[in-house]
Every structure is written in structure tokens, then in C-alpha cells.
Amino acid sequence: MRFLTLGLALTSLTSAALVQRKVSYDGFKVYRINVGENRDQLAKVVSSLKLATWKGKVATSDVVDLMVGPTQIEAFEKSTVELDTKLMHDDLGLSIAQEQDFPVYAAAAAPNATWFNGYHPIADHIQFLKDLAAAYPNNAEVVVAGKSVEGRDITGIHIWGSGGKGSQKGIVWHGTVHAREWITNMVVEYAAYTLLTSADPTISSFKNKYDFYIFPIVNPDGFAYTQTTDRMWRKNRQTTPSTSCVGRDINRNWPNQWSQRGGASTSPCAEDYKGPSAGDGVETKVLKAQLDSIAADKGVKLYMDIHSYSQLWMYPYGYTCSGTIPEAALYSQLASGAVNAIASVHGTAYTAGPICTTIYQVSGDSVDYAYQVAKAEFSMTVELRDTGRYGFILPAEQIKPTAEEMWAGLAYVLGNMP
């Protein structure tokens, strides 16, 4: 869900004409700035150097994470001597290279926990879901919600319990909405893996109570693009007439509260571009139709959109910071319980609260749509590890602990929803 405005120095990276050229981040640095009383100064630096923002908004956020290219570093450091600055990545290209040392995936009789030892190519993710469903045919099947812009299947796994498939209200989880947030698909897959492999009677009760529709990668084109061409790509790969800039943010494109000032960008080149019209994103249409179908059948008990990074557990509203949902007290209780459950595993601290006031304003997002239109009883989103040491390039050794603690939070919500 991170907000990113690409500057002129990176405009060529989003050009449709150059999509086959591998983007190098060798020598790039990522800095964290504690804004304090220096907001105007920081705004001038970001504007003059055309810097890309990983996290936060210069105009409103207390903390901003900036990506700085090799030719900009000297000028940036001279301009920020008086600012509270911390180095996150000394060489982003090196961090990416270490992250992309993919392990070989070869399923045994059934997938096992070694899957979570590293990140994987998109084809392996699809095979993992197929192998997982094949190992538990009485409780799972692979499902395809529809096709992406480039014709890839938007693949998920449907998990059910003793009542048979489709007999209970739906739990819907989405991962990798934003392509560069690789940790999200691993966490969502860990949740599916745990539901099917655990012998814990409490976890079995979740399957017997709900039908789970779990989609680890809902933006397959963008995710594939991060692996072949540009690791920092965020949007889908849909073209827009009259511009060479590619993609729209499919979490600003849902046809609900779509055109709210301050909640998304109207610029096709911006990373949070909302699209030319509400719900026109190819993936948005597919995901909306699938969510609507579940809602019209047995109903949606819980919708969750999994993102990174910042360590937050949030709920509606995103589109407004002044409105409060009628169930705010109950949502707050569930979110606080989830945060406590997360902390009990590895000591990781999350913050709970409404989307708009906890992170920033987000319009046309899936969580508000699920709550207001699909009438999900509960609709939430999380920002996974970390809070800024590694950001989007989270080391592989943190996959399993991140997944373990997030499962504890998910299990808390599953066990405590009235």
C-alpha cells in the first residue's frame, strides 16, 4: 500500500517502450527521514532532485523513506545535513540480488515448510498451490478468479471443512496487490498451508466454520514484472490511452468512494494512479466479481488485504479520516487482540487503527468496498514487516517469522469474530 511518486529520474523505467530492459538499482541508497520541523526543507529536496518515495507523504507524514539514485546521492546528502537521516539500504542493488537467490522448488509427497525458506518465481507459486490442493483433495481445490491484463490466471486455493465446499460463509484473503510486496504472498500461502496441514483442533474448527478463498498473488503481471524487469514495480501492467506510462493501482481502482480528493492520484505516471474510471482495472474487475459472487452466495464473513510494510493492522475507513464505522469498538477490539497475538510470537510490535488515520487516506480501496458494498461482516488490511530497516526488500530469513506471527493474528480474529 506504500505511496510512491516517481520522479523524472525514473520516468524511463515506466515507459512501455522499455519494459524488456532490466532495471538496475546498483548504487541506489534508501534513506529514512524523521521529518520533524523540516517539512518544507525536505519537500524542496524531494522536488528538486525528483526523488522516489518508498514510504510516507512528504506533506503529511512524520517519517518518509526515500530512494536516491547514484547521481543524486552527493546532492541529497549535502541538502539534508540538518535533517534526521538514517540509511536503510547502502546499495539497493546488492540487497535485491541477495533476495533473489531463489531456492529450487521440488514438491515431495506434499509441500512442506521448507517452501518458506526463501522467495520464489511466479511459476513455482502456482505449482505450490496445485501441489497443496492435490495433497488435500477432500479439503481443497485450486480456483481461478479470472485473467489478468496479460492473460495470466489469478490463481487461488479454496479450503473447506467437514460440511463440504461452499457450505459456509466466506473468508477472502488477497496478497500481492502491489507487485513489489513479495513478503505478502509468502504470508498468505503460509496461512493456507497451516489451515491444511495443522492437526490443531482449533484450526480444524476454522475450516469447519468457514470456506476460505485465498489468493496469494492477485496482481500476477506486476509480480512477474518485478522478477524479470523492475523489482520496485507496484501497479498492474495495464496501458492507459494517450500516455506511455503503464499501470494503475488496483487498490485505488475499486468502484466505491473512487474519486475522493487526496485518496489517490489522477496522474497515470504516479504509483497510486486510480485509473481513468472507477473499476476499469482488469484485475479489479475480476476480484470484484469474485468477491461479489461469494457475498451473493453465503456471504463474506471476513475480507483481508495483505500488504507491506509498516507493521499495522487496520480497518475502515480508508477514504475519509472523519467518518467512523458503527462497529468501530468491535473492530478496535479485534485489531488490538490480533496485535497482541502477533507480539506474543516473536515480540514484533504492530499498531492498530482505522486506515485513514493510521497510515493515510486511501480511496477506491478494496477494504472499503468489501465493507460498504459487498457487506463483509469484517473487512481489514495489514501492513507486514518491517517498519523501515529493509522495507520492501525484506530478507528471506524473515519470511517464516513474519508468517508465523501473522498467522497468530489471523487466528485470533478467526476465533473471536462474533
Side-chain angles (χ1 to χ4, degrees):
M1 195 183 284
R2 290 291 135 241
F3 177 89
L4 174 67
T5 303
L6 287 179
L8 294 179
L10 296 179
T11 300
S12 63
L13 306 186
T14 59
S15 171
L18 298 177
V19 295
Q20 298 304 317
R21 194 163 105 189
K22 184 80 171 181
V23 176
S24 172
Y25 289 97
D26 292 347
F28 277 69
K29 296 182 184 294
V30 182
Y31 297 87
R32 163 155 290 191
I33 312 294
N34 289 309
V35 179
E37 299 179 354
N38 300 298
R39 193 174 305 279
D40 290 343
Q41 180 183 352
L42 180 60
K44 290 179 182 178
V45 173
V46 172
S47 177
S48 63
L49 296 179
K50 312 299 182 186
L51 297 179
T53 305
W54 267 24
K55 172 183 176 178
K57 296 182 180 182
V58 175
T60 58
S61 300
D62 294 331
V63 174
V64 177
D65 296 345
L66 299 170
M67 184 168 65
V68 184
T71 62
Q72 303 165 311
I73 291 171
E74 182 178 358
F76 173 80
E77 292 183 342
K78 285 182 179 179
S79 302
T80 57
V81 171
E82 298 177 357
L83 301 184
D84 182 3
T85 304
K86 180 180 179 181
L87 184 63
M88 292 168 56
H89 289 277
D90 184 53
D91 185 338
L92 181 59
L94 178 60
S95 298
I96 290 172
Q98 293 170 339
E99 175 200 48
Q100 296 190 12
D101 184 16
F102 297 139
V104 175
Y105 173 61
N112 57 63
T114 61
W115 171 260
F116 305 100
N117 291 340
Y119 296 102
H120 301 273
I122 187 170
D124 285 1
H125 282 280
I126 304 305
Q127 191 60 49
F128 174 81
L129 292 181
K130 291 179 179 179
D131 292 340
L132 190 60
Y136 299 92
N138 295 325
N139 294 102
E141 66 178 359
V142 168
V143 292
V144 175
K147 297 285 187 179
S148 67
V149 173
E150 296 177 345
R152 291 181 175 87
D153 287 341
I154 299 177
T155 305
I157 188 167
H158 177 195
I159 297 172
W160 62 87
S162 58
K165 66 178 180 180
S167 62
Q168 306 292 340
K169 282 195 171 185
I171 303 287
V172 181
W173 291 338
H174 288 168
T176 328
V177 173
H178 294 146
R180 61 191 175 195
E181 297 169 9
W182 285 15
I183 185 60
T184 65
N185 49 59
M186 301 302 298
V187 165
V188 174
E189 286 164 355
Y190 185 87
Y193 174 83
T194 302
L195 281 168
L196 286 171
T197 63
S198 176
D200 186 325
T202 299
I203 295 176
S204 295
S205 73
F206 296 156
K207 290 185 294 187
N208 294 335
K209 193 173 182 180
Y210 304 114
D211 273 63
F212 290 82
Y213 303 86
I214 301 174
F215 288 82
I217 304 172
V218 300
N219 181 7
D221 297 345
F223 181 62
Y225 194 74
T226 65
Q227 296 190 326
T228 62
T229 307
D230 185 352
R231 176 61 184 87
M232 300 316 303
W233 188 261
R234 167 183 164 109
K235 300 184 284 185
N236 75 351
R237 295 295 301 161
Q238 190 168 348
T239 58
T240 299
S242 75
T243 179
S244 62
C245 293
V246 175
R248 64 244 310 108
D249 183 342
I250 59 175
N251 199 42
R252 303 295 188 277
N253 186 246
W254 286 72
N256 177 61
Q257 310 295 347
W258 175 73
S259 186
Q260 299 292 323
R261 184 175 182 179
S265 177
T266 60
S267 170
C269 297
E271 289 290 340
D272 63 338
Y273 176 48
K274 65 182 182 179
S277 60
D280 77 316
V282 171
E283 292 82 5
T284 311
K285 291 178 182 177
V286 168
L287 298 173
K288 173 187 176 299
Q290 199 242 5
L291 184 64
D292 288 347
S293 175
I294 297 170
D297 186 13
K298 296 296 189 298
V300 177
K301 183 68 177 184
L302 171 67
Y303 171 78
M304 288 207 65
D305 196 11
I306 313 297
H307 290 267
S308 72
Y309 60 98
S310 279
Q311 295 174 196
L312 307 172
W313 194 294
M314 299 176 290
Y315 48 88
Y317 294 116
Y319 77 94
T320 177
C321 290
S322 58
T324 302
I325 60 174
E327 307 89 351
L330 177 56
Y331 268 77
S332 178
Q333 180 181 359
L334 285 171
S336 296
V339 165
N340 290 336
I342 289 169
S344 71
V345 180
H346 297 294
T348 308
Y350 273 59
T351 299
I355 297 168
C356 191
T357 55
T358 304
I359 186 168
Y360 44 64
Q361 185 184 3
V362 180
S363 58
D365 66 287
S366 62
V367 173
D368 285 346
Y369 179 91
Y371 174 75
Q372 292 188 307
V373 182
K375 303 303 179 183
E377 291 187 41
F378 296 95
S379 184
M380 299 179 173
T381 184
V382 297
E383 296 281 350
L384 301 172
R385 290 191 188 190
D386 56 12
T387 58
R389 170 60 185 90
Y390 297 103
F392 298 119
I393 314 300
L394 194 70
E397 58 264 26
Q398 292 199 36
I399 294 172
K400 192 172 292 184
T402 303
E404 290 169 345
E405 66 197 16
M406 184 50 52
W407 172 253
L410 293 171
Y412 177 86
V413 172
L414 292 172
N416 288 276
M417 291 184 297

